[in-house]
Amino acid sequence: MARFTTFRFCLDPTVEQEIVLRRHAGAARFGYNQCLRLVKQALDGKRRGTVGKVPWSGFDLINAFNTWKRTAAAGRVLVAAADGTTMVQTTGLAWRAEVCQQVFEEAAVDLGRGLAAYMASRNGEREGRRVGFPRFKSKKRAQLSFRIRSRTSTTGRAGIRVGGLAPRTVTLPGIGTLAVREDTRRLRRMLAKGRAKVLSATVSHRAGRWSVSLTCEAADLHDAARHQPDSGTGWVGVDRGLAAFVVAARADGTEVARVDDWPRPSRAGMARQRRLARAVTRKPPGSRNRAKAAARLGRHHARTAAIRRRFLHKVSNKLVKTHDRLAIETLTITGMLTNRRLAAAVADAAWGELARQLTYKQQWRGGQLTPVDRWYPSTKTCAPCRTVAPAMPLDQRTFTCGACGYRADRDLNAAVNLAIWAEPHHAQIRDLHAGGPVTKARRGEGSGPRTRASETGPDDAGTAPTPPRVRNGRPRRALSHNSTEL
């Protein structure tokens, strides 16, 4: 077992089974909120000095919730006798036996991950947008979902089974056998041959449909589906754009793939989306008609996302199956979304999702994928003579080199430059403006093979290091005579 994959199936539950699914989803939301409440209470107690340890990890949260659910703080069931006296029949969470206990545990694990992400973001150990403190999940706005782990019994029977009573069924512990709409033959064969193992099942409700995602630990792909290590085909640069969605080319200028007619699902369905959104706002808040209109709008968004996801899988599969070495440019998609003229088109293209799919699919097939330097000028660099041209406007679709007269398609030229960057003899990035290697030296550091700025390198024999400069009465670190100050 060397890779993780997910099989997603659309469920077709009965009315009684849907009630059970909603009960488990509500229990997951309740467990998450109660664990968060215990954390906040412990934090308040720690500020007052009454509580020592705050449950923070998933394991501690599970233990804290299990302890709480058996106490009187979780609730009591009182029984009245004929003589008017009352007695406590049950202490703790009375309905906890009606759902699978793993739902509470997985909710606690999710909260533990959120708290860990919050601390990592606060301490500067997590990149990207800052993560806030976890908040309570609303009963009206929270998505219906829960997760159950697969446990093996003492007899060797798995808790989560596929195709038990019928080929198109999935059996979940505490819920029973659920019918699915898709064919499960591929997963059943992998499970029967021991090439896959179900780890967990996530049941979610989106756009009026229930679906189950089975997270599996699977074996490597067959050798026939993997790339050969000594293929020697060279690198292929993949340029992502809006006019042409994907253009792939080799370092010699050969174009190997081009996708021009991409669906643009968001723009194609924008007229319908606006009409459905206006229908929602016209209904009184809290009415049933407003809920129905919101459901229609949600189904439209789900269909748009499904069209985009299917297209991205089609493109990524085509690239990964035919090329073993891919080089993709590093795009600042978050910054591009701030452009009000291109934000809608960039979001509709989903370049980040395409890069994610290419990354894990290339790993499955034993190929290589390298991200190109963010500041590499692939679009305005001439592929034959390596001359960097001035900035090109977006409406200029043909690249023309002023030095050698080379003319080529804008996206094709960028894809060729990406492939050139990834070639072995271009492993060290060249500074195209200076004609030499990029030193990337910090302030006070030299570009040669020295350990400190005050030391001399092999090429500096007979020279003395520059004395330190003084600013505001404090000596500054010395700069060698050939260092680059950024």
Side-chain angles (χ1 to χ4, degrees):
M1 302 297 181
R3 64 188 178 100
F4 294 92
T5 183
T6 302
F7 291 84
R8 183 178 179 182
F9 304 103
C10 183
L11 295 176
D12 190 13
T14 61
V15 177
E16 295 78 8
Q17 290 175 343
E18 185 172 359
I19 295 175
V20 176
L21 294 178
R22 290 183 177 273
R23 184 183 299 144
H24 280 73
R29 179 190 59 83
F30 175 83
Y32 181 93
N33 291 342
Q34 181 56 37
C35 290
L36 181 57
R37 191 175 293 108
L38 294 175
V39 171
K40 290 191 173 184
Q41 292 175 358
L43 290 175
D44 294 339
K46 188 175 182 179
R47 295 188 187 99
R48 303 190 198 98
T50 58
V51 179
K53 183 178 180 181
V54 179
W56 200 262
S57 64
F59 184 78
D60 294 338
L61 290 171
I62 291 175
N63 293 335
F65 182 83
N66 291 337
T67 303
W68 171 85
K69 70 180 182 181
R70 296 183 178 90
T71 61
R76 295 183 300 173
V77 177
L78 303 178
V79 178
D83 55 357
T85 60
T86 60
M87 60 179 300
V88 179
Q89 183 182 16
T90 305
T91 301
L93 204 60
W95 52 271
R96 65 178 184 268
E98 299 179 5
V99 296
C100 183
Q101 299 302 305
Q102 297 182 19
V103 173
F104 299 117
E105 298 176 0
E106 293 301 316
V109 171
D110 291 341
L111 178 59
R113 294 175 180 174
L115 294 173
Y118 163 73
M119 289 301 300
S121 178
R122 185 179 180 181
N123 298 333
E125 301 174 358
R126 178 187 176 94
E127 299 179 356
R129 185 178 300 177
R130 185 169 182 177
V131 179
F133 193 81
R135 296 180 294 179
F136 292 103
K137 292 185 178 181
S138 173
K139 186 176 182 180
K140 296 182 179 180
R141 298 182 180 180
Q143 180 186 355
L144 298 177
S145 64
F146 62 93
R147 185 172 63 252
I148 298 178
R149 297 190 308 274
S150 179
R151 294 181 177 178
T152 305
S153 62
T154 56
T155 59
R157 190 179 188 183
I160 300 177
R161 299 181 297 275
V162 180
L165 300 178
R168 297 192 177 188
T169 57
V170 174
T171 303
L172 301 179
I175 299 176
T177 303
L178 301 171
V180 299
R181 299 183 180 182
E182 292 85 3
D183 189 10
T184 61
R185 180 182 302 176
R186 181 180 180 184
L187 179 57
R188 285 188 285 111
R189 288 182 176 179
M190 295 178 64
L191 294 174
K193 295 181 179 180
R195 294 184 57 84
K197 177 183 178 182
V198 179
L199 301 179
S200 63
T202 303
V203 181
S204 58
H205 181 267
R206 293 180 181 176
R209 292 185 179 182
W210 288 93
S211 62
V212 57
S213 300
L214 302 178
T215 303
C216 305
E217 184 181 4
D220 288 334
L221 296 178
H222 194 270
D223 293 340
R226 293 174 59 86
H227 296 295
Q228 300 300 325
D230 299 331
S231 59
T233 56
W235 289 89
V236 173
V238 179
D239 179 73
R240 295 166 289 177
L242 297 177
F245 185 76
V246 163
V247 176
R250 301 188 185 276
D252 57 358
T254 304
E255 182 178 314
V256 296
R258 176 181 285 268
V259 179
D260 291 324
D261 52 342
W262 56 292
R264 304 177 188 266
S266 181
R267 191 179 71 172
M270 185 57 62
R272 177 177 174 81
Q273 177 181 338
R274 290 174 179 173
R275 185 171 63 255
L276 294 176
R278 286 195 299 265
V280 174
T281 57
R282 288 169 180 165
K283 305 299 186 297
S287 62
R288 293 187 177 181
N289 288 334
R290 188 183 181 96
K292 293 179 182 178
R296 287 192 293 268
L297 180 60
R299 288 194 293 268
H300 170 76
H301 284 296
R303 183 177 182 274
T304 301
I307 294 174
R308 182 185 298 111
R309 182 169 54 251
R310 181 179 178 86
F311 170 74
L312 293 177
H313 278 291
K314 181 179 179 181
V315 174
S316 60
N317 288 337
K318 180 180 178 181
L319 293 174
V320 170
K321 290 180 181 179
T322 54
H323 308 291
D324 60 339
R325 299 178 183 179
L326 298 177
I328 60 175
E329 55 185 342
T330 303
L331 300 176
T332 55
I333 302 176
T334 304
M336 294 180 182
L337 293 177
T338 58
N339 188 341
R340 62 183 182 87
R341 299 178 181 271
L342 299 176
V346 171
D348 200 6
W351 291 331
E353 176 63 18
L354 177 63
R356 188 189 70 86
Q357 293 181 9
L358 290 175
T359 301
Y360 77 81
K361 291 181 180 181
Q362 196 72 306
Q363 292 178 356
W364 285 358
R365 296 184 176 272
Q368 301 180 25
L369 186 140
T370 177
V372 182
D373 183 23
R374 172 182 174 183
W375 306 109
Y376 179 67
S378 60
T379 302
K380 57 182 182 180
T381 302
C382 179
C385 68
R386 315 304 299 156
T387 301
V388 180
M392 296 176 56
L394 294 178
D395 57 351
Q396 183 178 347
R397 307 310 305 172
T398 303
F399 174 82
T400 303
C401 180
C404 64
Y406 172 75
R407 291 176 57 89
D409 179 73
R410 174 195 183 109
D411 301 326
L412 176 61
N413 180 71
V416 173
N417 287 324
L418 294 177
I420 292 176
W421 185 93
E423 288 293 338
H425 57 278
H426 286 275
Q428 184 181 14
I429 307 174
R430 292 283 172 176
D431 190 345
L432 302 180
H433 299 282
V438 176
T439 59
K440 295 184 179 180
R442 301 177 182 176
R443 183 181 298 273
E445 295 181 356
S447 60
R450 56 183 62 84
T451 58
R452 292 190 302 271
S454 58
E455 294 181 353
T456 58
D459 301 332
D460 300 333
T463 61
T466 305
R469 293 177 292 179
V470 179
R471 175 181 293 181
N472 297 330
R474 296 182 180 180
R476 296 183 58 190
R477 296 182 62 183
L479 292 173
S480 59
H481 71 282
N482 63 341
S483 63
T484 302
E485 185 174 355
L486 300 181

PDB file of all heavy atoms in Angstrom, residues 238-261:
ATOM      1  N   VAL A 238       4.071  23.285 -19.387  1.00  0.00           N
ATOM      2  CA  VAL A 238       2.608  23.428 -19.421  1.00  0.00           C
ATOM      3  C   VAL A 238       2.278  24.869 -19.051  1.00  0.00           C
ATOM      4  O   VAL A 238       2.519  25.306 -17.917  1.00  0.00           O
ATOM      5  CB  VAL A 238       1.925  22.451 -18.449  1.00  0.00           C
ATOM      6  CG1 VAL A 238       0.414  22.635 -18.493  1.00  0.00           C
ATOM      7  CG2 VAL A 238       2.299  21.014 -18.794  1.00  0.00           C
ATOM      8  N   ASP A 239       1.760  25.598 -20.019  1.00  0.00           N
ATOM      9  CA  ASP A 239       1.366  26.996 -19.795  1.00  0.00           C
ATOM     10  C   ASP A 239      -0.145  27.056 -19.664  1.00  0.00           C
ATOM     11  O   ASP A 239      -0.879  26.546 -20.514  1.00  0.00           O
ATOM     12  CB  ASP A 239       1.824  27.868 -20.965  1.00  0.00           C
ATOM     13  CG  ASP A 239       1.422  29.319 -20.783  1.00  0.00           C
ATOM     14  OD1 ASP A 239       2.021  29.997 -19.938  1.00  0.00           O
ATOM     15  OD2 ASP A 239       0.481  29.762 -21.482  1.00  0.00           O
ATOM     16  N   ARG A 240      -0.612  27.673 -18.581  1.00  0.00           N
ATOM     17  CA  ARG A 240      -2.040  27.826 -18.325  1.00  0.00           C
ATOM     18  C   ARG A 240      -2.462  29.250 -18.641  1.00  0.00           C
ATOM     19  O   ARG A 240      -1.780  30.200 -18.263  1.00  0.00           O
ATOM     20  CB  ARG A 240      -2.352  27.503 -16.857  1.00  0.00           C
ATOM     21  CG  ARG A 240      -2.104  26.072 -16.480  1.00  0.00           C
ATOM     22  CD  ARG A 240      -2.105  25.881 -14.973  1.00  0.00           C
ATOM     23  NE  ARG A 240      -0.927  26.455 -14.343  1.00  0.00           N
ATOM     24  CZ  ARG A 240      -0.720  26.478 -13.030  1.00  0.00           C
ATOM     25  NH1 ARG A 240      -1.635  25.975 -12.224  1.00  0.00           N
ATOM     26  NH2 ARG A 240       0.375  27.016 -12.537  1.00  0.00           N
ATOM     27  N   GLY A 241      -3.589  29.376 -19.326  1.00  0.00           N
ATOM     28  CA  GLY A 241      -4.060  30.692 -19.719  1.00  0.00           C
ATOM     29  C   GLY A 241      -5.567  30.739 -19.813  1.00  0.00           C
ATOM     30  O   GLY A 241      -6.277  29.792 -19.419  1.00  0.00           O
ATOM     31  N   LEU A 242      -6.069  31.839 -20.349  1.00  0.00           N
ATOM     32  CA  LEU A 242      -7.506  32.039 -20.499  1.00  0.00           C
ATOM     33  C   LEU A 242      -7.947  31.899 -21.946  1.00  0.00           C
ATOM     34  O   LEU A 242      -8.981  31.296 -22.227  1.00  0.00           O
ATOM     35  CB  LEU A 242      -7.895  33.429 -19.965  1.00  0.00           C
ATOM     36  CG  LEU A 242      -7.654  33.657 -18.475  1.00  0.00           C
ATOM     37  CD1 LEU A 242      -8.017  35.082 -18.086  1.00  0.00           C
ATOM     38  CD2 LEU A 242      -8.441  32.653 -17.635  1.00  0.00           C
ATOM     39  N   ALA A 243      -7.179  32.460 -22.893  1.00  0.00           N
ATOM     40  CA  ALA A 243      -7.523  32.280 -24.303  1.00  0.00           C
ATOM     41  C   ALA A 243      -7.359  30.811 -24.693  1.00  0.00           C
ATOM     42  O   ALA A 243      -8.270  30.195 -25.261  1.00  0.00           O
ATOM     43  CB  ALA A 243      -6.652  33.180 -25.174  1.00  0.00           C
ATOM     44  N   ALA A 244      -6.201  30.254 -24.417  1.00  0.00           N
ATOM     45  CA  ALA A 244      -5.956  28.819 -24.545  1.00  0.00           C
ATOM     46  C   ALA A 244      -5.769  28.273 -23.132  1.00  0.00           C
ATOM     47  O   ALA A 244      -4.869  28.706 -22.413  1.00  0.00           O
ATOM     48  CB  ALA A 244      -4.722  28.537 -25.394  1.00  0.00           C
ATOM     49  N   PHE A 245      -6.614  27.355 -22.735  1.00  0.00           N
ATOM     50  CA  PHE A 245      -6.596  26.890 -21.346  1.00  0.00           C
ATOM     51  C   PHE A 245      -5.267  26.246 -20.995  1.00  0.00           C
ATOM     52  O   PHE A 245      -4.679  26.533 -19.949  1.00  0.00           O
ATOM     53  CB  PHE A 245      -7.744  25.903 -21.131  1.00  0.00           C
ATOM     54  CG  PHE A 245      -7.883  25.456 -19.706  1.00  0.00           C
ATOM     55  CD1 PHE A 245      -8.448  26.292 -18.763  1.00  0.00           C
ATOM     56  CD2 PHE A 245      -7.439  24.204 -19.311  1.00  0.00           C
ATOM     57  CE1 PHE A 245      -8.564  25.891 -17.434  1.00  0.00           C
ATOM     58  CE2 PHE A 245      -7.550  23.795 -17.993  1.00  0.00           C
ATOM     59  CZ  PHE A 245      -8.119  24.638 -17.056  1.00  0.00           C
ATOM     60  N   VAL A 246      -4.763  25.373 -21.862  1.00  0.00           N
ATOM     61  CA  VAL A 246      -3.494  24.685 -21.627  1.00  0.00           C
ATOM     62  C   VAL A 246      -2.759  24.569 -22.951  1.00  0.00           C
ATOM     63  O   VAL A 246      -3.357  24.186 -23.966  1.00  0.00           O
ATOM     64  CB  VAL A 246      -3.707  23.283 -21.018  1.00  0.00           C
ATOM     65  CG1 VAL A 246      -2.456  22.423 -21.173  1.00  0.00           C
ATOM     66  CG2 VAL A 246      -4.056  23.383 -19.548  1.00  0.00           C
ATOM     67  N   VAL A 247      -1.480  24.894 -22.937  1.00  0.00           N
ATOM     68  CA  VAL A 247      -0.586  24.683 -24.068  1.00  0.00           C
ATOM     69  C   VAL A 247       0.656  23.997 -23.535  1.00  0.00           C
ATOM     70  O   VAL A 247       1.321  24.523 -22.641  1.00  0.00           O
ATOM     71  CB  VAL A 247      -0.216  25.999 -24.777  1.00  0.00           C
ATOM     72  CG1 VAL A 247       0.792  25.741 -25.882  1.00  0.00           C
ATOM     73  CG2 VAL A 247      -1.458  26.673 -25.335  1.00  0.00           C
ATOM     74  N   ALA A 248       0.969  22.823 -24.079  1.00  0.00           N
ATOM     75  CA  ALA A 248       2.131  22.043 -23.651  1.00  0.00           C
ATOM     76  C   ALA A 248       3.097  21.915 -24.815  1.00  0.00           C
ATOM     77  O   ALA A 248       2.678  21.655 -25.957  1.00  0.00           O
ATOM     78  CB  ALA A 248       1.711  20.660 -23.156  1.00  0.00           C
ATOM     79  N   ALA A 249       4.388  22.105 -24.540  1.00  0.00           N
ATOM     80  CA  ALA A 249       5.405  22.051 -25.587  1.00  0.00           C
ATOM     81  C   ALA A 249       6.712  21.582 -24.993  1.00  0.00           C
ATOM     82  O   ALA A 249       6.939  21.683 -23.779  1.00  0.00           O
ATOM     83  CB  ALA A 249       5.581  23.418 -26.250  1.00  0.00           C
ATOM     84  N   ARG A 250       7.584  21.077 -25.867  1.00  0.00           N
ATOM     85  CA  ARG A 250       8.908  20.636 -25.455  1.00  0.00           C
ATOM     86  C   ARG A 250       9.921  21.769 -25.639  1.00  0.00           C
ATOM     87  O   ARG A 250       9.612  22.815 -26.207  1.00  0.00           O
ATOM     88  CB  ARG A 250       9.336  19.405 -26.250  1.00  0.00           C
ATOM     89  CG  ARG A 250       8.384  18.226 -26.091  1.00  0.00           C
ATOM     90  CD  ARG A 250       8.957  16.980 -26.745  1.00  0.00           C
ATOM     91  NE  ARG A 250       8.004  15.880 -26.688  1.00  0.00           N
ATOM     92  CZ  ARG A 250       7.854  15.077 -25.657  1.00  0.00           C
ATOM     93  NH1 ARG A 250       8.613  15.257 -24.583  1.00  0.00           N
ATOM     94  NH2 ARG A 250       6.975  14.106 -25.667  1.00  0.00           N
ATOM     95  N   ALA A 251      11.149  21.505 -25.199  1.00  0.00           N
ATOM     96  CA  ALA A 251      12.185  22.531 -25.265  1.00  0.00           C
ATOM     97  C   ALA A 251      12.606  22.839 -26.693  1.00  0.00           C
ATOM     98  O   ALA A 251      13.111  23.924 -26.969  1.00  0.00           O
ATOM     99  CB  ALA A 251      13.399  22.098 -24.437  1.00  0.00           C
ATOM    100  N   ASP A 252      12.402  21.909 -27.628  1.00  0.00           N
ATOM    101  CA  ASP A 252      12.775  22.145 -29.013  1.00  0.00           C
ATOM    102  C   ASP A 252      11.711  22.904 -29.796  1.00  0.00           C
ATOM    103  O   ASP A 252      11.848  23.091 -31.012  1.00  0.00           O
ATOM    104  CB  ASP A 252      13.082  20.817 -29.716  1.00  0.00           C
ATOM    105  CG  ASP A 252      11.903  19.844 -29.655  1.00  0.00           C
ATOM    106  OD1 ASP A 252      10.875  20.195 -29.040  1.00  0.00           O
ATOM    107  OD2 ASP A 252      12.030  18.731 -30.203  1.00  0.00           O
ATOM    108  N   GLY A 253      10.625  23.302 -29.133  1.00  0.00           N
ATOM    109  CA  GLY A 253       9.573  24.054 -29.794  1.00  0.00           C
ATOM    110  C   GLY A 253       8.423  23.230 -30.307  1.00  0.00           C
ATOM    111  O   GLY A 253       7.503  23.775 -30.932  1.00  0.00           O
ATOM    112  N   THR A 254       8.406  21.932 -30.053  1.00  0.00           N
ATOM    113  CA  THR A 254       7.335  21.062 -30.533  1.00  0.00           C
ATOM    114  C   THR A 254       6.120  21.181 -29.620  1.00  0.00           C
ATOM    115  O   THR A 254       6.218  20.958 -28.409  1.00  0.00           O
ATOM    116  CB  THR A 254       7.801  19.606 -30.580  1.00  0.00           C
ATOM    117  OG1 THR A 254       8.986  19.513 -31.385  1.00  0.00           O
ATOM    118  CG2 THR A 254       6.719  18.715 -31.164  1.00  0.00           C
ATOM    119  N   GLU A 255       5.002  21.514 -30.185  1.00  0.00           N
ATOM    120  CA  GLU A 255       3.763  21.593 -29.417  1.00  0.00           C
ATOM    121  C   GLU A 255       3.143  20.202 -29.318  1.00  0.00           C
ATOM    122  O   GLU A 255       2.875  19.550 -30.334  1.00  0.00           O
ATOM    123  CB  GLU A 255       2.783  22.556 -30.084  1.00  0.00           C
ATOM    124  CG  GLU A 255       1.485  22.731 -29.329  1.00  0.00           C
ATOM    125  CD  GLU A 255       0.547  23.722 -29.997  1.00  0.00           C
ATOM    126  OE1 GLU A 255       1.019  24.803 -30.394  1.00  0.00           O
ATOM    127  OE2 GLU A 255      -0.653  23.399 -30.118  1.00  0.00           O
ATOM    128  N   VAL A 256       2.902  19.744 -28.104  1.00  0.00           N
ATOM    129  CA  VAL A 256       2.401  18.389 -27.889  1.00  0.00           C
ATOM    130  C   VAL A 256       0.947  18.354 -27.451  1.00  0.00           C
ATOM    131  O   VAL A 256       0.293  17.313 -27.549  1.00  0.00           O
ATOM    132  CB  VAL A 256       3.274  17.653 -26.852  1.00  0.00           C
ATOM    133  CG1 VAL A 256       4.692  17.470 -27.385  1.00  0.00           C
ATOM    134  CG2 VAL A 256       3.295  18.402 -25.529  1.00  0.00           C
ATOM    135  N   ALA A 257       0.426  19.459 -26.949  1.00  0.00           N
ATOM    136  CA  ALA A 257      -0.969  19.475 -26.507  1.00  0.00           C
ATOM    137  C   ALA A 257      -1.453  20.916 -26.477  1.00  0.00           C
ATOM    138  O   ALA A 257      -0.688  21.838 -26.160  1.00  0.00           O
ATOM    139  CB  ALA A 257      -1.139  18.831 -25.135  1.00  0.00           C
ATOM    140  N   ARG A 258      -2.728  21.094 -26.792  1.00  0.00           N
ATOM    141  CA  ARG A 258      -3.361  22.415 -26.741  1.00  0.00           C
ATOM    142  C   ARG A 258      -4.853  22.229 -26.489  1.00  0.00           C
ATOM    143  O   ARG A 258      -5.509  21.432 -27.161  1.00  0.00           O
ATOM    144  CB  ARG A 258      -3.137  23.188 -28.033  1.00  0.00           C
ATOM    145  CG  ARG A 258      -3.864  24.546 -28.085  1.00  0.00           C
ATOM    146  CD  ARG A 258      -3.623  25.231 -29.401  1.00  0.00           C
ATOM    147  NE  ARG A 258      -2.283  25.783 -29.467  1.00  0.00           N
ATOM    148  CZ  ARG A 258      -1.960  27.019 -29.122  1.00  0.00           C
ATOM    149  NH1 ARG A 258      -2.907  27.854 -28.673  1.00  0.00           N
ATOM    150  NH2 ARG A 258      -0.725  27.447 -29.208  1.00  0.00           N
ATOM    151  N   VAL A 259      -5.358  22.963 -25.535  1.00  0.00           N
ATOM    152  CA  VAL A 259      -6.785  22.934 -25.197  1.00  0.00           C
ATOM    153  C   VAL A 259      -7.306  24.358 -25.335  1.00  0.00           C
ATOM    154  O   VAL A 259      -7.002  25.216 -24.502  1.00  0.00           O
ATOM    155  CB  VAL A 259      -7.026  22.384 -23.778  1.00  0.00           C
ATOM    156  CG1 VAL A 259      -8.510  22.387 -23.446  1.00  0.00           C
ATOM    157  CG2 VAL A 259      -6.449  20.989 -23.633  1.00  0.00           C
ATOM    158  N   ASP A 260      -8.062  24.603 -26.390  1.00  0.00           N
ATOM    159  CA  ASP A 260      -8.602  25.936 -26.647  1.00  0.00           C
ATOM    160  C   ASP A 260     -10.051  26.082 -26.210  1.00  0.00           C
ATOM    161  O   ASP A 260     -10.438  27.091 -25.631  1.00  0.00           O
ATOM    162  CB  ASP A 260      -8.489  26.271 -28.140  1.00  0.00           C
ATOM    163  CG  ASP A 260      -7.041  26.479 -28.574  1.00  0.00           C
ATOM    164  OD1 ASP A 260      -6.267  27.025 -27.770  1.00  0.00           O
ATOM    165  OD2 ASP A 260      -6.695  26.088 -29.698  1.00  0.00           O
ATOM    166  N   ASP A 261     -10.851  25.076 -26.501  1.00  0.00           N
ATOM    167  CA  ASP A 261     -12.293  25.176 -26.243  1.00  0.00           C
ATOM    168  C   ASP A 261     -12.618  24.599 -24.863  1.00  0.00           C
ATOM    169  O   ASP A 261     -13.071  23.470 -24.746  1.00  0.00           O
ATOM    170  CB  ASP A 261     -13.078  24.440 -27.330  1.00  0.00           C
ATOM    171  CG  ASP A 261     -12.580  23.030 -27.524  1.00  0.00           C
ATOM    172  OD1 ASP A 261     -11.448  22.734 -27.087  1.00  0.00           O
ATOM    173  OD2 ASP A 261     -13.308  22.203 -28.103  1.00  0.00           O
TER     174      ASP A 261
END
